[in-house]
Amino acid sequence: MVFYRSHIEGSSESTILANNIYARNSSCLASEKHESHPNVRCKMPLVVLCGYPCSGKTRRAHELRDYFSQNTERKVHVIGDEDQGIDKNSVYSDSQKEKNLRGALRAEVERKVNKDDIVILDSLNYIKGYRYELFCLIKHTQTPHCLVYCLTSAEVSSECNKSREVDSQYTQEILDGLILRFEAPDSRNRWDSPLFTIQIEDALPFEAIGDALFKRKAPPPNQSTQSQPLSSTNFLYELDKVTQDILMALLDTQKTSVPGDLISIPGATEKINLTRSLNMVELRKLRRQFISYTKMHPTENIGQIANMFVQYLNKSMH
C-alpha cells in the first residue's frame, strides 16, 4: 500500500568550504519547457529517497529516473553513495567519514540543482537534521522537493542484504546500527513533506510525485537561509583584502602564462591550475560569489581564506 500526504507547509576545512561555495554558485541559469506540465514555470525539483539499508531505494531511484526521462524533456541526475566510490562498512562505522560523505552528497546536490534538471538523492538520508539541511537548501534555491520513504521491516532489510553479492553487503553489525539510528520521516515536518511512503511490493505513484514536484510553489526563502551580518570587522577586512590581492596577482601573472601552468599565489599554499584565461569581469563575478557565501559561512581560521579562494577558482575554471 502506498501512503502519502499532499499538504504542503511553506577533506580539509578549506577544501570542504570551497566545494560548498562552488556547488552553491554553479547552478545553470537556462530555462526549458516541461512537457508533462507545460503551464507551469520551470522548477528545479529534488527527490530525496530515504529508508533502511537494502530497502529498495536504488531501485526506486532508477524507476523515477526512467519515468521522468521518458515523460519529460528534463535531464535526470541520480546522486548516491555508490557514486562516491566508498566502502560502506568503513564509512558507516566511522562518524567522521559518514559526516564527510553526507557533506559530499549535499555539495553534489547543490551543484546539480538548476532550472532544467531533476535531481534524485539516493542515500539513507536517515538523520532528521540532515533532511532539514536539504530542506534549507531547496528553500535557498527556491525549488520544490518531495520525500520518498522506502518502508521495510528490519527483517526484510536483513534478508535483502544477505542476498547481495558479498562485496556489496553491509556487515550485520553495521546494518543493525543504521536501523537503530534511523529517524523515520514525519509528514507533519515541513522538511519531510510532501511524503510518499512506499512498501516493497508497491508501484510508485509517478503522477502524484510529478504533481508534488511541478504543480506547487517552492517554499520561499526565510531568514535562516539568507545572509546574516557579521560582527567581526577583521574577518570582513581580511576576506576583502585577500580575495582582491589574489585577483590582481592572477591577472598580472596571466600575462606571461599559458593554459596548463601552475600559478603560485602569495599567501596560499595551493596553486592555481590555469586551464584557461579569466578576464576581469569573470574574476570579479567569482569573487562576489565567493564573498557572499563566505560571509554566510565564515571560517574560524582566517589564514585559510586564500587557499579556499584558490580552490574555488580552480573548480570554477573547469
Side-chain angles (χ1 to χ4, degrees), residues 70-280:
Q70 295 168 10
N71 292 277
T72 75
E73 297 177 358
R74 297 170 183 263
K75 292 181 180 179
V76 183
H77 303 282
V78 178
I79 298 168
D81 293 7
E82 294 181 1
D83 303 324
Q84 305 300 315
I86 63 167
D87 178 342
K88 63 181 69 177
N89 289 305
S90 173
V91 167
Y92 287 112
S93 63
D94 185 314
S95 61
Q96 186 57 51
K97 289 181 180 179
E98 186 180 342
K99 182 178 179 181
N100 291 341
L101 171 63
R102 289 196 299 271
L105 291 172
R106 185 184 186 279
E108 184 69 7
V109 168
E110 286 186 290
R111 190 175 74 83
K112 294 293 188 185
V113 163
N114 61 59
K115 288 185 179 296
D116 299 319
D117 303 345
I118 298 168
V119 179
I120 301 171
L121 179 57
D122 172 25
S123 188
L124 295 173
N125 299 316
Y126 70 95
I127 298 175
K128 178 170 59 177
Y130 183 60
R131 295 198 298 270
Y132 178 74
E133 287 182 23
L134 294 171
F135 177 71
C136 290
L137 184 158
I138 64 102
K139 283 175 71 69
H140 178 83
T141 55
Q142 298 185 52
T143 174
H145 92 305
C146 73
L147 188 69
V148 176
Y149 175 26
C150 298
L151 177 62
T152 59
S153 65
E155 293 75 17
V156 169
S157 289
S158 182
E159 289 302 314
C160 290
N161 182 55
K162 292 174 183 176
S163 69
R164 292 183 169 187
E165 296 290 335
V166 175
D167 291 345
S168 300
Q169 290 182 12
Y170 293 88
T171 66
Q172 193 61 46
E173 181 182 3
I174 296 297
L175 182 75
D176 291 342
L178 288 169
I179 289 174
L180 186 65
R181 299 198 298 272
F182 186 82
E183 296 176 331
D186 183 342
S187 62
R188 292 172 296 183
N189 297 327
R190 299 188 308 278
W191 54 90
D192 289 336
S193 178
L195 173 65
F196 299 88
T197 301
I198 314 295
Q199 296 187 20
I200 202 164
E201 70 279 1
D202 293 336
L204 281 172
F206 294 111
E207 187 173 345
I209 292 174
D211 288 347
L213 296 177
F214 304 119
K215 288 189 174 181
R216 69 186 184 92
K217 293 182 179 180
N222 58 19
Q223 187 176 10
S224 66
T225 57
Q226 301 301 297
S227 298
Q228 302 297 316
L230 292 174
S231 57
S232 173
T233 54
N234 185 53
F235 175 83
L236 293 176
Y237 171 79
E238 289 295 326
L239 179 62
D240 182 80
K241 182 178 184 300
V242 168
T243 54
Q244 182 63 28
D245 288 347
I246 290 176
L247 245 62
M248 300 312 296
L250 179 55
L251 281 170
D252 185 63
T253 308
Q254 278 187 147
K255 297 175 183 177
T256 57
S257 301
V258 295
D261 284 354
L262 289 176
I263 299 177
S264 297
I265 296 295
T269 57
E270 300 278 345
K271 295 183 179 180
I272 289 180
N273 181 12
L274 190 66
T275 57
R276 62 184 178 87
S277 294
L278 296 170
N279 59 40
M280 176 60 85

Side-chain angles (χ1 to χ4, degrees), residues 304-315:
Q304 286 296 323
I305 292 175
N307 281 332
M308 288 165 53
F309 190 38
V310 169
Q311 290 165 0
Y312 176 63
L313 291 174
N314 279 333
K315 285 186 171 294

